[in-house]
Amino acid sequence: MNLPIYELDVGECFTTFEFISHGQKGKIPKIITFTEMMPFVYNLGFGDKNSETGEMDDLAISNNGDTEKVLATVVSAVYAFTKDNPENRVYAIGSTNARNRLYRIGISKHYDDAIKDFDIFGLRNGVWVNFEKNVDYSAFIVKRKL
């Protein structure tokens, strides 16, 4: 995908990334994490960085006017995370139904580019199926194509 992204600060082992959202409400620090759930499956965590604790707040609503660039930056972290470890699957679920819908819309919008590099699955009625545009899913998994 060829979308504008924010510059990422990469943490240890490509499992933590940080960047700054620049928008209508100023500069908002963001965190992306990849946490192992089971062998070869990592949970994608994403949210605002709490300025006092340094921890991620995945329920914060920034409304900074740069959603497309923020989501493209998260996708760039998925590319970086899976580059050297393509056997790792990335599991993602929105912290709210609205966020899950936002992720589905984002995947659908850029599906034709993403499918070139990733196998994409959605969880529907408790079953993992190939992702289809405009279908609701409760979670997502992507795996880098070899």
Side-chain angles (χ1 to χ4, degrees):
M1 292 189 300
N2 193 17
L3 298 171
I5 62 169
Y6 288 112
E7 182 178 332
L8 286 169
D9 290 327
V10 181
E12 186 176 324
C13 300
F14 286 87
T15 58
T16 304
F17 298 80
E18 295 188 24
F19 67 96
I20 306 293
S21 161
H22 298 265
Q24 301 163 345
K25 296 186 178 179
K27 297 178 181 179
I28 301 174
K30 305 279 188 179
I31 300 177
I32 304 163
T33 61
F34 296 91
T35 307
E36 188 172 24
M37 299 170 58
M38 62 184 72
F40 305 108
V41 179
Y42 286 76
N43 180 68
L44 168 65
F46 167 68
D48 288 2
K49 181 177 182 178
N50 183 301
S51 60
E52 294 177 13
T53 66
E55 295 182 8
M56 176 183 13
D57 179 356
D58 64 355
L59 295 174
I61 299 173
S62 303
N63 289 333
N64 210 16
D66 59 347
T67 301
E68 183 90 9
K69 190 171 183 178
V70 166
L71 290 178
T73 304
V74 173
V75 170
S76 74
V78 172
Y79 271 90
F81 176 73
T82 60
K83 180 181 179 187
D84 292 328
N85 298 291
E87 69 280 0
N88 289 340
R89 289 161 178 78
V90 177
Y91 171 88
I93 185 170
S95 56
T96 65
N97 287 336
R99 290 209 174 147
N100 221 45
R101 181 176 177 273
L102 178 66
Y103 297 162
R104 177 184 53 82
I105 290 169
I107 294 168
S108 293
K109 184 174 181 180
H110 301 287
Y111 179 82
D112 293 337
D113 286 330
I115 199 67
K116 294 174 187 173
D117 299 316
F118 292 95
D119 292 319
I120 306 170
F121 304 94
L123 185 62
R124 185 162 173 80
N125 300 321
V127 178
W128 288 104
V129 297
N130 288 321
F131 181 90
E132 294 180 37
K133 295 179 183 180
N134 304 315
V135 175
D136 287 330
Y137 299 101
S138 55
F140 309 92
I141 282 186
V142 299
K143 182 184 181 304
R144 189 86 174 239
K145 290 183 177 178
L146 301 176

